[in-house]
Every structure is written in C-alpha cells, then in structure tokens.
C-alpha cells in the first residue's frame, strides 16, 4: 500500500488511523455481523454511533446546552438556501462577500428576499478580509453572514464581525475543528464534512435553540426545515449514516490528540513551515494579505504560469497530490487540514526548495 501526501481542498485527507479502523470494522461492526453501511439507522447500535458522535463534538467544541447539533445532508451548499428559508423573518440578510462560497450563499439568499453585500473583498480578487468592525448592518437584518475560512483564496477571519446585535451565521466548512471557537458568539455555524471531518454529503449544523422555529418561509420544503430535523434528532429520514460514523471516529481521534487547542498549536506550527518558506523564497510567493492567512488553505504562485504547471506536474510525480490551485485563481494551493501530518508539509517544502534551486539560473 502506498499513500500520497494529499493536499486536496476537499474531499481531503483523513487521519490514517480512522481509515484503518473503518477498514477493520467494514465487514463486521463490533459483532453486529454487518457493516455500518448496511445497518438500520433506527437500530440500537447505530443510535450509539450517532449519539456518541454528537456527544464528542459537543465536548470538543464546548457547545453550550442551548445549541442543537444537527447532522444533515445536501453538503454545505444546501445551507445556502436553508439559512434564509428558516431564518428570514423580515426577509433581509447582510452578507460579507469574501469569496466564491460567500457569494454563492449571498446569491441564493436573494431568491428568498433581500441580501445585502455589506462588505466585499472582490476588488482585490478576494485576497484579504475586509474591515468588519463597523459594517452598515441593516436595522431589519435577520442575520449577518460570513464564510469564516475562504477555501479557494486562503483567507480567514481573525476577528468576527461586529454584527451590532444581529445573529452571526458562519460557514466554517474549511476551518471546522481546526482551532477552538466560542460557539456562543454565533447564531448558527455550519460545516460540510469533507474537509476536516469526514466524507462529502454530511453537513453539520450547530444552531442556537431559539432560531429553530416553525415560523419559516411558507415555501420551505419539509426536508429543509431545521425544526423537523431537530425534533427527530437528525433521524427524520435516513441520514448519511456511514458518513456520520466516520465523522464520529474523527471526533474521537481529535480528542485523543488533545482537542482543539492542541490542534490549533499543531496547525499553526505546520502552516508556519510553509508560510515561512514562501516569505523567503525568491521563486514562490503567497497570494493573500499576511494578516488574513488561513491555517488550512495556502495558495501560492511562482508568477509564471508555465513554471506553475511544471511544479504541479513534478510534485505529483513525487507523491504530492492535488496542489493545483482552484480553476478560478490558478497557481497552486496546499490544503493542510488537521489530518495532514507535519512530515507532509516538511516534505513539500523540501521539494519546493529543490524545485527552486533546479529552476533558478
Ligand atoms: C467554505 C465552503 N463552503 C461551502 C462549500 C460547498 O460545499 P459542498 O460541496 O459540500 O456543498 C465549500 C466547498 O467545497 C467550501 O469550501
């Protein structure tokens, strides 16, 4: 068996330990005589899996009791619609547009009411996080929306916006569980699983209880109502059962590694190896404002498209996969989620140094 260093932005690298455990349990989960993929989501054994996953997530994130955890389907993109459908009372949402994912959420909200772009970094290809300390928040805004870590551009909010009393809604897909967060500062957090926690399709929603109501837009389908899923404890219909099982294993892996403070320290050290190299390299450079750099997604360029392409090709041949930047921005991007080991980034930087030496006259 040979595994590559996988720098994909998502679906992304998962902890090897988790994959091995899942492989061992594939044919016979804990004496049940079947795979988790084959068992009823209403069985006792599955009930333990989903309940433990929730309990472990609550412990990791120190989720206050007045917040609900929902394991839903439809990926993160489904939330772009569910959020306005469920939270619009005045049909007004204020959006901070810091990249394509925030923009998609903003455009989706427009289908249901008024979405205001209260700040944007589109003027510089989303290479920075705008000042969010004094936004023109609408008096009747139902919430303020951010995409906290911008997967494509490699920026991250280091300070949350001053929402002037409005509920904060945040897409944490690509920074979920990479560091501690104060859940009480948010009305709703959501994250697609396929970056830091598990297989694609699962989306985790953490929502303050009072935001779960029956007072939703009348056209909201049953399946898109938070209340339906909350009342049924994420088992209204067949959930993405196997995906949730893997998420649960990742939560246990994170607990064993010391939880989110330990992850933050690890991620900071790991990202610094790459960023420190980029800052002194004469060939490679980072593409975003230093103070807004993401710990999870690091885009970089050589400034020469042909050299970029050569780098991606040679890196691939050397066992470094998925380093090509997003199709909308070009260059390279190394996604270095929780499960990317320190050695992966060290090896990448050694390879970059070598490439620079070989290609510098
Ligand atoms: C920040 C962010 N939000 C939303 C999405 C969309 O997720 P999904 O494909 O699960 O709908 C992604 C990406 O893949 C993302 O990076």
């Amino acid at each position: 068996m040979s595994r590559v260093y996988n720098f994909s932005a998502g679906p992304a690298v998962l902890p090897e330990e988790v994959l091995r455990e899942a492989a061992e349990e594939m044919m016979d989960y804990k004496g049940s005589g079947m795979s988790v993929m084959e068992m009823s989501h209403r069985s006792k054994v599955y009930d333990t899996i989903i309940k433990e996953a929730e309990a472990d997530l609550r412990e990791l994130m120190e989720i206050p009791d007045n917040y609900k955890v929902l394991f839903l389907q439809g990926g993160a993109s489904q939330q772009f619609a569910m959020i306005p459908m469920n939270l619009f009372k005045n049909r007004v949402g204020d959006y901070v547009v810091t990249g394509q994912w925030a923009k998609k959420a903003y455009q989706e909200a427009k289908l249901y009411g008024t979405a205001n772009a209260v700040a944007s970094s589109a003027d510089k290809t989303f290479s920075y996080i705008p000042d969010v300390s004094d936004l023109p928040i609408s008096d009747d805004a139902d919430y303020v929306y951010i995409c906290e870590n911008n997967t494509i551009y490699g920026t991250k909010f280091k300070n949350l916006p001053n929402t002037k009393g409005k509920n904060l809604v945040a897409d944490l897909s690509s920074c979920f569980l990479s560091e501690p967060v104060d859940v009480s500062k948010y009305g709703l957090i959501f994250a697609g699983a396929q970056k830091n926690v598990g297989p694609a399709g699962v989306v985790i929603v953490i929502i303050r209880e009072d935001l779960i109501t029956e007072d939703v837009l009348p056209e909201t389908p049953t399946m898109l109502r938070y209340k339906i899923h909350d009342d049924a404890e994420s088992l209204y219909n067949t959930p993405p059962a196997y995906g949730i099982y893997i998420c649960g294993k990742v939560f246990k892996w994170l607990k064993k590694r010391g939880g989110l403070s330990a992850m933050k320290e690890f991620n900071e050290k790991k990202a610094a190896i790459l960023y420190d190299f980029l800052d002194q390299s004469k060939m490679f450079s980072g593409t975003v404002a230093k103070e807004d750099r993401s710990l999870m997604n690091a885009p970089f360029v050589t400034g020469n498209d042909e050299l970029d392409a050569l780098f991606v090709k040679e890196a691939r041949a050397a066992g470094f996969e998925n380093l090509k930047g997003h199709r909308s921005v070009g260059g390279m991007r190394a996604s270095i989620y929780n499960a990317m080991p320190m050695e992966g980034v060290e090896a990448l930087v050694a390879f970059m140094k070598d490439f620079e030496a070989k290609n510098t006259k």
Side-chain angles (χ1 to χ4, degrees), residues 67-97:
Y67 283 74
K68 295 301 187 83
V69 174
L70 306 175
F71 293 99
L72 306 180
Q73 315 199 36
S77 300
Q78 180 100 294
Q79 294 308 306
F80 299 168
M82 269 180 93
I83 287 161
M85 283 180 148
N86 285 268
L87 303 191
F88 268 0
K89 310 299 168 205
N90 302 323
R91 294 200 184 227
V92 179
D94 283 355
Y95 283 72
V96 181
V97 181

Side-chain angles (χ1 to χ4, degrees), residues 74-78 80 101 147 149 151 171 173-174 190 192 194-195 201:
S77 300
Q78 180 100 294
F80 299 168
W101 296 114
C147 177
N149 187 80
T151 326
D171 177 354
S173 294
S174 48
F190 70 97
Q194 71 271 25
K195 291 147 201 311

Side-chain angles (χ1 to χ4, degrees), residues 204-224:
I204 296 169
V205 174
I206 302 167
I207 178 171
R208 214 178 54 229
E209 240 165 21
D210 59 286
L211 295 176
I212 305 175
T213 67
E214 271 164 11
D215 175 23
V216 300
L217 298 189
E219 62 268 35
T220 309
T222 306
M223 269 294 284
L224 300 188

Side-chain angles (χ1 to χ4, degrees), residues 169-198:
V169 171
D171 177 354
L172 265 67
S173 294
S174 48
C175 59
F176 196 56
L177 304 180
S178 64
E179 59 180 33
V181 296
D182 181 352
V183 174
S184 70
K185 293 202 166 125
Y186 302 80
L188 186 154
I189 289 172
F190 70 97
Q194 71 271 25
K195 291 147 201 311
N196 250 342
V197 280

Side-chain angles (χ1 to χ4, degrees), residues 176-178 196 253-254 263 266-267 270 336-340:
F176 196 56
L177 304 180
S178 64
N196 250 342
W253 177 79
L254 285 167
M263 266 344 275
F266 170 72
N267 286 325
K270 197 170 60 176
I336 49 176
Y337 297 116
N338 285 345
M340 172 57 66

